[in-house]
Amino acid sequence: MKKKIAIIGSGISGLSAAAYAAAEGHAVHVFEKNATPGGRARQFTTENGYTFDMGPSWYWMPDIIDNFFQDFGKQATDYFELISLDPQFEMVFSQENVSVPHDYSEMKTLFEHIEPGAGLRLDEFMSAAKYKYEVGMRDFVHKPCYSWFEFMSPKIASSALKLDLLSGFRNYVKKYFKDPKLISLMEFPVIFLGASPRKIPAMYSLMNYGGYALGTWYPKGGFYELVKAMKSVAEEQGAVFHFNQPVQAINCGSDAVSTLVINGVEHAFDAVIASSDYHHTETLLPPSLRNYDEKYWAGRTFAPSCLIYYLGFRQRIPNLKHHTLFFEHDLDAHIDSIYVDKAWPDKPLFYACSPSQTDNGVAPDGHENVFLLMPLAMGVSDDEATRERYLLDMIARLEKHTGATQLLDKIDYQKSYCVSDFMQDYNAYGGNAYGLANTLSQTAVWKPAIKNKKLKNLFYTGQLTVPGPGVPPSIISGKIVATEVNKLNIQSYEKAV
């Protein structure tokens, strides 16, 4: 039976859910509190000619992203041009810089140069990572995770040991490599999962395969091209989008959501999918109807927040790659500042993205577009003076690396974004940027449930539920939830609605 479905939020998971639900013939309405779609993947332009992606910038796992478009008879490249980055990125260490090439044979040569024998061990590592990727991203992550019985298929059961669910990622990497630079290179991808490599299961070496082996890409025009494409697909299926429309309350009958209050007006729906922040969504419900209380959320391990600077320079910056990771300081010390001290770091690591190195359309001629990101503890005070202090540190290191001088004097656009902004724009719990960390105790069934336990027609999708943080997992999350909503028998809710 066809349903009238509300989707709260138009982040990646909301866009995905909208497309899949509308494709089933349901009347799908997406309500977004902000003026544009995309959630953390929004984009903005400046009066002086810069275009900035606000969040995601690493286009990894291209096959998973393309699967979304193929489900609707399309290809990602029907909507945007994908550019392969070579090098994929550069890592800056205290004594040496390492650029990771696109070509896998060149990557093997690089590893062998750094550590004799590491080239062959890279083959072994990637072979195991490919297996985890194929099982994990094609079987493991597509479950709604109501019960562990979902994982009792012969294929998953036979793969349990090879998936390395109970091994720590750091110790796993050290079985293959000894050189600190190679260890950092292999540990870096799991930072996207929001926890220390000491806490992440070794299964997530699949990230190395999804990134390094499948390549790092860039959609010409910016990552927002993916958002626009997904919105187009959803609209082609019949989904309708409503912007500047915050959901203020969720009204309920005896066992189901009855109406949403949107900009002060009540609207009735047969089912609701919340792509909004999970914790915030539940604050719109009476405490007795929430899946989790405040104590539960306080006990979760969240991925970090971050300090971001969007910078425009009225000159080109030499020797700068599209993606550059500044790892001159100790990774564990920075991670401890996030999870142990819960304070601003003394010697931070950071990431620089300069899409104008690849795409002339994101900055005026002769100018540079640079995005600086520094992982940060949730909930810290983020006044402008503190933000500026870290900007000065990052600019100094950028100058040292590239040989550019007096970059501060060359800035003709500057905007910062931090903890309080994530809270304001996305209702993000504690100002987190990436959702829940993918630790073992927060995997699969142990993640927040995709379905409300007391309201039969309220579902949750996105980075705080299954399968986890990141753009490809969020796409999958939207598909999982749309499938579950499609199974609903609307007749059982008629009295409540």
Side-chain angles (χ1 to χ4, degrees), residues 403-435:
T405 59
Q406 298 180 316
L407 285 179
L408 285 171
D409 296 334
K410 309 294 175 54
I411 293 174
D412 63 351
Y413 182 81
Q414 175 178 319
K415 175 184 173 68
S416 65
Y417 202 91
C418 202
V419 176
S420 57
D421 299 298
F422 282 100
M423 296 172 72
Q424 173 67 32
D425 287 353
Y426 311 122
N427 297 309
Y429 181 83
N432 82 85
Y434 307 107

Side-chain angles (χ1 to χ4, degrees), residues 117 122 174 197 201 244 291 318 350 375 381 415 438 455 480:
L122 179 64
K174 287 184 174 180
N244 297 307
N291 277 354
F350 74 98
S381 175
K415 175 184 173 68
N438 266 355
L455 301 169
I480 291 170

Side-chain angles (χ1 to χ4, degrees), residues 85-148:
L85 299 183
D86 191 13
Q88 299 189 44
F89 61 91
E90 184 172 28
M91 290 190 85
V92 178
F93 298 103
S94 58
Q95 302 296 326
E96 184 180 3
N97 304 329
V98 177
S99 291
V100 176
H102 171 81
D103 184 79
Y104 181 74
S105 63
E106 293 180 17
M107 195 182 307
K108 280 183 63 177
T109 300
L110 170 67
F111 273 58
E112 189 67 28
H113 172 74
I114 294 173
E115 179 184 315
L120 288 176
R121 291 194 293 275
L122 179 64
D123 276 341
E124 296 170 3
F125 184 100
M126 284 299 186
S127 176
K130 181 180 180 181
Y131 181 86
K132 295 183 181 78
Y133 187 84
E134 291 175 344
V135 174
M137 297 307 295
R138 294 172 191 171
D139 298 314
F140 196 85
V141 301
H142 287 269
K143 309 294 184 183
C145 296
Y146 296 130
S147 164
W148 288 113

Side-chain angles (χ1 to χ4, degrees), residues 223-387:
F223 207 95
Y224 193 66
E225 293 300 309
L226 174 62
V227 171
K228 292 194 297 184
M230 292 183 69
K231 178 175 179 284
S232 293
V233 169
E235 289 176 323
E236 288 163 12
Q237 310 313 308
V240 179
F241 288 79
H242 309 270
F243 298 103
N244 297 307
Q245 298 287 310
V247 175
Q248 297 156 318
I250 301 175
N251 297 325
C252 309
S254 59
D255 66 349
V257 172
S258 54
T259 63
L260 299 180
V261 179
I262 303 165
N263 271 349
V265 179
E266 268 193 89
H267 300 267
F269 294 95
D270 300 315
V272 175
I273 298 172
S275 173
S276 45
D277 178 90
Y278 199 126
H279 169 268
H280 169 73
T281 302
E282 295 230 299
T283 66
L284 304 178
L285 296 167
S288 62
L289 297 179
R290 299 172 188 172
N291 277 354
Y292 307 103
D293 59 19
E294 291 298 323
K295 183 178 179 181
Y296 171 88
W297 291 109
R300 298 303 92 190
T301 300
F302 279 81
S305 186
C306 56
L307 168 64
I308 300 172
Y309 268 95
Y310 309 100
L311 302 172
F313 294 92
R314 54 178 178 270
Q315 71 166 52
R316 299 307 299 266
I317 300 176
N319 306 312
L320 184 62
K321 304 296 189 294
H322 189 117
H323 296 301
T324 308
L325 300 159
F326 288 80
F327 271 55
E328 310 101 308
H329 304 312
D330 182 59
L331 171 63
D332 287 339
H334 189 142
I335 289 174
D336 285 346
S337 75
I338 295 171
Y339 292 107
V340 180
D341 305 325
K342 299 182 180 180
W344 288 82
D346 292 329
K347 294 182 176 181
L349 312 182
F350 74 98
Y351 156 61
C353 177
S354 181
S356 50
Q357 296 288 329
T358 303
D359 186 351
N360 291 329
V362 298
D365 288 346
H367 292 227
E368 205 80 274
N369 174 320
V370 177
F371 166 109
L372 304 178
L373 183 151
M374 187 186 82
L376 185 63
M378 293 195 319
V380 297
S381 175
D382 63 347
D383 59 273
E384 201 61 42
T386 303
R387 299 184 190 193

Side-chain angles (χ1 to χ4, degrees), residues 132 140 160-168 201-204 440 443:
K132 295 183 181 78
F140 196 85
L161 289 177
K162 291 184 179 180
L163 289 175
D164 287 306
L165 277 168
L166 300 180
S167 303
M203 181 185 79
Y204 289 106
L440 180 59
T443 295

